[in-house]
Amino acid sequence: MHKHLLPLLAAALLAGCAQKASAPAATTTPPPASSEPATQPIGHNWPREAEEFLANYSKEYQRLYTASAEAEWRSNTRIVPGDTTNSAATARANEAAAAFNGSTENINRLRELLEHKSELTPLQVKQLQTALYNAASSPQTAAEVVKRRIKAETQQTEKLYGYEYKYQGKAVTTNDLDRVLREEKNPQKRLAAWEASKAVGPTLKEGLLNLRGLRNQVVQALGYPDYFSYQASDYGMTREEMMTLVRRINQELRPLYRELHTYARYELAKKYGQKQVPDYLPAHWLPNRWGQDWSSMVDVKGLNLDPILAKKGAEWQVKQAERFYQSLGYPALPPVFWEKSSLYPLPAGATYKKNNHASAWHMDLQNDVRSLMSVEPNAEWYETTHHELGHIYYYLTYTNPDVPVLLRGGANRAYHEAMGSLMGLAAMQKPFLAGLGLVDANAKTNQTQQLLKEALNYVVFIPFASGVMSEWENAFYADNLSQDQLNARWWELAKQYQGVVPPTARGENYLDPATKTHINDDPAQYYDYALSYVILFQLHDHISKQILKQDPRATNYYGNKEVGKFLQSIMYPGASADWRQLLRDKTGEDLSARAMVDYFQPLMAYLKEQNKGRKYTM
Ligand code: X8Z
Ligand code: ZN
């Protein structure tokens, strides 16, 4: 995620769908007031009033946002069990921001100005709508509930990231557990690591149930039916429209997923020396805690990055990602990024913990950009580093005089996730790696194996993101999923969408969905990532074919300024652009999995051949 600290910021347009035209990002000056004040009738100059209001509002918004970001940063990078200083400071800063964003006075004024929408510039309207959207996460009319939500959120973060994981009797990090799941061949050890990774779940149950009620109640005060609907409205969509969209995406990739699922069952049974091939994949067989990325199952001869990266070291990866962006024409990262980011795991023996999940922060909606990661030298972090820098360069690019503070967000949240993931994909392709001298350009490598590896990442992710996560959160927030069904529903969905089952019965004494960080601290938004993959393949298709004239499966973006210009033109307007129009303008297409399905098409024949005679169970 990129951090929108009060659960917001993002590119909000309440009635975005009605707003077809892309907002021109330049006209911040309102038409002048009448030049003859003496004869001017008493009345309103709405554009000028809006401009004045927005100028003052934005200034205060930015000040409070920055204070909140600083406090959150501290709370996420220095977690000391039992210490209440940080959480108290964070709660205070968030409450101050919430009080301003949700103040009745501001809301009334926003509504009043929006009643005169037709007289305002599109850019003014977007800013007002964004401010109103933000208000819904902390309306003054529900001040007590807002306060409780803020406190509960801070506590949940502390519980989740302050948790001490134990494996084989020793304290371990999530990086350690992930390594076991990627590399270990002994099923008993895998099972132990998988179970260790789920042990945090029950500690989060009470907090999560509490948060469901509070999140729903807060947005209901401004008329949203539930928190899931609120988050979907950020795209100008209803909850039902969003669910229809993610279900459609899942359907489009289902035939390919079915082949991958069959393939994986047989291959993993072989790998773990099991005679019986199970109908559904036991969760602890998969090289990821949630089965959302299986790419480390396959090593492509001549393209295995892990040993190369291990030699280069963690720091090199971040520097290399920066070099890639710079090669396209992006600036060097500002000094503050290097000075204030928290990029690497804490040293052994540290007396505090930090958030173990990667994120990127726009601290002041200006030039203070930072990333929070625990980078280790391996392919997974190499990709994540490119992902996070995508957020950072998005921040830096829409921080410009044409984009007002309130619209410094992605065209939508999925765009924000897409840019860096796109760069991560590009940074793994053979011509790119060969160009950097990381692999031997002349060595024969198997294209199909490479495509398979990519599918095990990007395709496998879809049923998890658009299926399990989105369906579960939709049920949790909007359908009030019963609290004695939380884990049962999770595993029902995992079976239905991913074809994955738990290694042993997982009753309601567990809470496996809560082990996924987003369920706690990035709620009801996980479809962002599914949509981001779909968008990234659309962008990649365009870049490969129209700009580079290269096969999308074998590209080298490095050093190409045209590619840079293209990406910058998407980032530049931030949330002042209409996301649907932008996609049409940039790719000639509406949002669709067409490009993603095309990309992997050659793999279908191969997998069908491999799976001949095998039993399909999905
Ligand atoms: O959470 C993230 C980013 C956050 S900025 C690292 N991702 C999803 C996840 O890890 O679950 C990236 C892709 C999927
Ligand atoms: Zn992200």
Side-chain angles (χ1 to χ4, degrees):
M1 87 205 70
H2 72 115
K3 280 283 165 181
H4 10 103
L5 303 150
L6 323 170
L8 43 105
L9 193 230
L13 35 152
L14 252 180
C17 250
Q19 274 248 301
K20 281 283 179 304
S22 161
T27 47
T28 42
T29 337
S34 163
S35 52
E36 290 170 68
T39 58
Q40 187 192 340
I42 309 167
H44 288 279
N45 179 335
W46 292 110
R48 165 165 292 185
E49 287 187 30
E51 209 56 26
E52 267 164 25
F53 173 81
L54 283 169
N56 293 326
Y57 180 96
S58 300
K59 212 166 145 206
E60 187 63 358
Y61 173 80
Q62 188 173 16
R63 187 181 74 78
L64 293 163
Y65 181 98
T66 306
S68 156
E70 284 288 0
E72 286 281 1
W73 178 262
R74 177 113 189 137
S75 277
N76 278 275
T77 52
R78 234 195 136 77
I79 303 169
V80 184
D83 170 63
T84 52
T85 330
N86 280 351
S87 52
T90 299
R92 261 198 315 278
N94 287 349
E95 280 166 23
F100 174 76
N101 293 341
S103 95
T104 303
E105 192 188 333
N106 280 335
I107 292 173
N108 288 342
R109 184 66 173 149
L110 288 166
R111 285 182 169 154
E112 183 187 20
L113 290 165
L114 279 169
E115 272 165 32
H116 304 276
K117 202 165 150 168
S118 60
E119 296 166 55
L120 306 179
T121 69
L123 198 62
Q124 289 177 326
V125 173
K126 272 213 161 142
Q127 291 174 80
L128 297 169
Q129 287 171 334
T130 301
L132 199 53
Y133 175 82
N134 292 347
S137 74
S138 59
Q140 189 183 348
T141 50
E144 251 327 288
V145 188
V146 170
K147 206 169 159 180
R148 273 162 43 214
R149 174 180 62 75
I150 288 169
K151 191 164 171 222
E153 279 179 337
T154 312
Q155 281 176 351
Q156 193 78 348
T157 305
E158 254 180 40
K159 274 223 171 86
L160 172 62
Y161 300 113
Y163 187 77
E164 177 116 300
Y165 293 86
K166 286 252 167 64
Y167 175 64
Q168 297 185 331
K170 282 203 297 277
V172 292
T173 63
T174 46
N175 269 346
D176 297 329
L177 295 172
D178 290 344
R179 191 175 318 106
V180 176
L181 293 178
R182 275 198 310 271
E183 296 172 5
E184 181 58 57
K185 289 206 174 70
N186 178 322
Q188 284 318 310
K189 289 187 184 160
R190 298 189 60 83
L191 177 61
W194 186 87
E195 284 177 340
S197 79
K198 303 296 166 191
V200 65
T203 71
L204 300 163
K205 186 162 180 173
E206 195 188 322
L208 187 62
L209 283 167
N210 185 29
L211 277 168
R212 162 168 70 180
L214 296 171
R215 285 168 177 158
N216 276 340
Q217 280 175 59
V218 163
V219 299
Q220 278 159 1
L222 275 201
Y224 293 91
D226 59 82
Y227 196 75
F228 197 98
S229 300
Y230 172 64
Q231 291 295 342
S233 79
D234 199 5
Y235 286 75
M237 292 166 78
T238 64
R239 176 171 74 85
E240 291 78 8
E241 285 167 342
M242 185 56 80
M243 291 312 293
T244 302
L245 175 62
V246 298
R247 284 169 189 154
R248 193 187 82 207
I249 288 167
N250 196 56
Q251 277 306 320
E252 287 179 84
L253 288 152
R254 181 86 171 179
L256 185 50
Y257 186 71
R258 187 167 171 265
E259 297 297 335
L260 291 166
H261 181 260
T262 308
Y263 178 82
R265 279 164 42 233
Y266 282 82
E267 294 303 313
L268 289 176
K270 221 186 301 167
K271 183 169 173 180
Y272 303 135
Q274 307 292 310
K275 281 196 205 87
Q276 197 67 25
V277 177
D279 281 355
Y280 295 94
L281 282 159
H284 69 298
W285 281 21
L286 297 167
N288 172 281
R289 277 177 272 161
W290 307 278
Q292 70 182 66
D293 174 3
W294 309 348
S295 54
S296 63
M297 265 178 68
V298 171
D299 269 335
V300 185
K301 235 178 122 216
L303 280 177
N304 186 5
L305 270 189
D306 281 337
I308 301 166
L309 297 174
K311 250 195 246 126
K312 297 276 189 189
E315 289 82 359
W316 179 87
Q317 297 183 116
V318 189
K319 280 288 179 194
Q320 173 51 36
E322 181 193 30
R323 268 196 297 279
F324 183 15
Y325 283 90
Q326 280 184 277
S327 85
L328 302 183
Y330 285 95
L333 291 167
V336 64
F337 176 88
W338 300 109
E339 286 155 13
K340 296 199 169 166
S341 286
S342 171
L343 299 173
Y344 307 106
L346 294 174
T351 54
Y352 57 95
K353 291 195 159 44
K354 66 184 245 188
N355 182 326
N356 54 37
H357 195 77
S359 53
W361 302 53
H362 199 184
M363 299 296 295
D364 55 356
L365 300 176
Q366 200 64 31
N367 304 314
D368 186 346
V369 291
R370 305 178 199 170
S371 178
L372 169 46
M373 295 194 269
S374 300
V375 179
E376 290 187 340
N378 60 48
E380 209 167 300
W381 278 110
Y382 174 75
E383 194 193 339
T384 299
T385 298
H386 285 80
H387 175 97
E388 297 310 329
L389 290 201
H391 290 306
I392 299 288
Y393 278 110
Y394 213 149
Y395 299 148
L396 294 172
T397 309
Y398 59 55
T399 298
N400 68 59
D402 292 329
V403 181
V405 160
L406 277 166
L407 299 179
R408 294 185 179 168
N412 65 28
R413 297 193 309 257
Y415 276 77
H416 227 302
E417 298 302 336
M419 307 309 285
S421 288
L422 169 63
M423 295 288 280
L425 172 97
M428 295 283 235
Q429 293 199 331
K430 186 181 176 192
F432 177 93
L433 294 170
L436 280 185
L438 290 179
V439 303
D440 180 356
N442 298 318
K444 275 248 172 299
T445 54
N446 187 326
Q447 264 240 26
T448 307
Q449 286 300 302
Q450 177 61 12
L451 200 56
L452 172 61
K453 191 176 174 72
E454 288 173 332
L456 291 170
N457 180 352
Y458 300 98
V459 178
V460 157
F461 182 70
I462 297 297
F464 175 70
S466 75
V468 180
M469 285 289 284
S470 299
E471 295 286 351
W472 193 87
E473 290 198 295
N474 179 43
F476 186 62
Y477 288 102
D479 295 339
N480 200 26
L481 179 61
S482 157
Q483 56 168 292
D484 60 10
Q485 290 294 313
L486 303 178
N487 219 38
R489 185 74 191 126
W490 176 259
W491 287 108
E492 243 170 57
L493 291 166
K495 187 171 181 186
Q496 179 188 344
Y497 284 96
Q498 296 179 288
V500 170
V501 292
T504 57
R506 304 286 292 177
E508 297 300 321
N509 48 330
Y510 298 108
L511 188 59
D512 297 320
T515 67
K516 186 70 197 156
T517 59
H518 303 71
I519 295 279
N520 302 286
D521 64 2
D522 199 29
Q525 301 162 62
Y526 203 77
Y527 49 78
D528 292 355
Y529 297 103
L531 301 180
S532 83
Y533 281 19
V534 165
I535 292 172
L536 92 79
F537 277 96
Q538 292 186 268
L539 298 177
H540 180 66
D541 194 67
H542 177 88
I543 289 170
S544 315
K545 293 178 184 159
Q546 308 302 327
I547 302 178
L548 297 171
K549 321 267 185 223
Q550 293 170 4
D551 174 356
R553 295 162 206 98
T555 65
N556 184 3
Y557 288 19
Y558 200 88
N560 192 298
K561 301 287 189 286
E562 283 306 310
V563 173
K565 270 194 214 144
F566 177 74
L567 295 176
Q568 280 174 318
S569 76
I570 294 171
M571 291 180 172
Y572 186 87
S576 72
D578 178 280
W579 70 264
R580 296 171 200 271
Q581 193 58 45
L582 188 65
L583 200 56
R584 252 175 247 144
D585 291 348
K586 296 296 163 186
T587 69
E589 276 189 331
D590 287 332
L591 185 75
S592 120
R594 195 272 320 153
M596 189 168 178
V597 171
D598 276 7
Y599 185 93
F600 292 107
Q601 202 48 49
L603 196 59
M604 272 306 259
Y606 169 80
L607 285 172
K608 281 196 171 134
E609 183 59 34
Q610 294 298 304
N611 290 334
K612 218 180 229 160
R614 289 175 172 173
K615 178 180 171 195
Y616 287 78
T617 56
M618 292 193 69

